[in-house]
Amino acid sequence: VMYGVQPSQEIFNRLSWGNQDLDPAFNDARVRIAIRRAVDWDKIRDVLANKQRFAAEGIDLETYTATHLFNDPNYWLDPAKGELGEHSRNYLFDLAEAKKLMAAANHPDGLEADGYYGADVMGVGLDRINLTIDALNQTGILRLKPVAEPAATVVNKIYVQNAFKGMLANLAAGGGLDFYLKNFYAIGPGGTQPFKDQALNDLVLKQARELDVNARLEVLKDIQRHLAREFYIVPADGNYGSFTFQWPWLHNIIYSDSPIPGSGQAQKVWLDEKMPNRNG
């Protein structure tokens, strides 16, 4: 049985900076926006989704452009529709404009940085990292030197604590909305945002304390508008629909190329042969 899976509304892929000795160049919002505008991230998304092949078979995959918050329709603002106002353009591919931004920021020859990723990443995750690094290096805007780190380091030191110097090459931001906002944008206990923005911090706290659902959604939209100007994280390729298979005769639950965390082995989960009705 083959069935469709909707694009995730709980993750998006991004590049982010560590909080140790942040390069002064990256303190300039023009540089951060240039990194986003220099690459056709939607094209990378479509390659990973195999969208062209599905289209040839008459299947139009649902896709989203990555922004700074999860694409939950309750609060997500779409830059392709101009829903972030004049700053919607900051998310749209335009290499010529990206180069102008870099020149205005006094970096006409681009920048260099270490690009960290997990040494145990496999399958689509590794394809995403390679495509990201290759695409950026070709633009001349940002040249990333690949640095593979053990999974434990990526999760604890880099993902949770932002305790590294350089950039995270391309990793999914997730863990739930509150965790994500607090970990990446809040200042103070539990927050590890290397860019100290008090106004953004206040918005993060405001949405967490707001008891009225509709009022909270409006604060989340304000957060997106703020981040569309500042780009403290660079959203990368967006989410896309996909298809998965279930083999009733195998009674399988999961078959995935993604590794079991820390093991380097693919996930293959099925019912034990001694379970009732194992063979139908």
Side-chain angles (χ1 to χ4, degrees):
V1 179
M2 178 179 176
Y3 59 95
V5 179
Q6 289 183 324
S8 174
Q9 295 176 356
E10 299 177 346
I11 62 171
F12 70 86
N13 298 296
R14 86 284 190 263
L15 293 82
S16 60
W17 286 269
N19 62 9
Q20 293 185 350
D21 303 320
L22 187 69
D23 190 315
F26 298 122
N27 277 310
D28 193 322
R30 293 172 296 185
V31 171
R32 303 193 294 268
I33 293 169
I35 293 171
R36 168 68 192 192
R37 301 207 70 180
V39 173
D40 189 345
W41 298 103
D42 288 351
K43 185 176 181 179
I44 291 178
R45 175 203 64 203
D46 291 349
V47 168
L48 293 172
N50 207 10
K51 187 175 183 179
Q52 186 175 6
R53 177 69 181 274
F54 279 109
E57 299 296 331
I59 301 172
D60 186 18
L61 289 182
E62 185 179 2
T63 59
Y64 286 91
T65 296
T67 61
H68 283 88
L69 254 64
F70 312 125
N71 49 268
D72 185 320
N74 289 303
Y75 56 76
W76 185 67
L77 300 177
D78 187 352
K81 297 179 180 178
E83 293 177 350
L84 287 155
E86 63 176 307
H87 300 294
S88 295
R89 65 175 182 267
N90 293 340
Y91 295 90
L92 306 181
F93 171 57
D94 192 326
L95 180 56
E97 287 299 317
K99 290 183 176 180
K100 289 180 182 178
L101 286 169
M102 292 297 286
N106 296 317
H107 300 290
D109 297 325
L111 297 166
E112 296 182 356
D114 288 335
Y116 293 91
Y117 67 95
D120 64 335
V121 174
M122 300 168 59
V124 174
L126 185 58
D127 290 340
R128 171 175 287 112
I129 290 167
N130 288 332
L131 286 169
T132 295
I133 293 175
D134 288 347
L136 282 168
N137 288 347
Q138 289 174 21
T139 67
I141 298 292
L142 175 66
R143 293 176 292 277
L144 287 182
K145 175 185 175 182
V147 180
E149 292 282 1
T153 300
V154 172
V155 171
N156 298 317
K157 183 178 179 181
I158 295 178
Y159 182 73
V160 176
Q161 301 175 25
N162 287 339
F164 67 102
K165 181 179 180 180
M167 289 199 74
L168 193 59
N170 195 339
L171 185 70
L177 181 61
D178 285 317
F179 167 82
Y180 165 70
L181 288 173
K182 181 178 180 182
N183 193 62
F184 291 103
Y185 300 129
I187 302 171
T192 57
Q193 172 56 259
F195 299 94
K196 305 307 179 185
D197 184 332
Q198 188 60 50
L200 177 58
N201 182 75
D202 293 344
L203 284 171
V204 170
L205 295 178
K206 182 178 180 181
Q207 68 81 31
R209 295 167 178 165
E210 180 57 66
L211 299 180
D212 182 274
V213 174
N214 291 326
R216 185 186 184 217
L217 295 179
E218 291 305 312
V219 179
L220 290 172
K221 293 177 182 178
D222 287 340
I223 290 174
Q224 290 173 84
R225 296 184 185 103
H226 189 101
L227 291 169
R229 297 192 302 269
E230 302 297 342
F231 265 72
Y232 295 132
I233 282 175
V234 178
D237 55 288
N239 291 329
Y240 52 86
S242 60
F243 292 86
T244 190
F245 297 89
Q246 184 178 30
W247 300 347
W249 62 270
L250 185 62
H251 292 235
N252 67 304
I253 303 170
I254 299 173
Y255 182 94
S256 173
D257 288 335
S258 299
I260 299 172
S263 73
Q265 299 178 354
Q267 301 182 57
K268 299 176 184 178
V269 183
W270 53 82
L271 294 177
D272 185 82
E273 62 181 7
K274 296 180 181 179
M275 290 290 286
N277 301 318
R278 174 65 181 81
N279 296 310

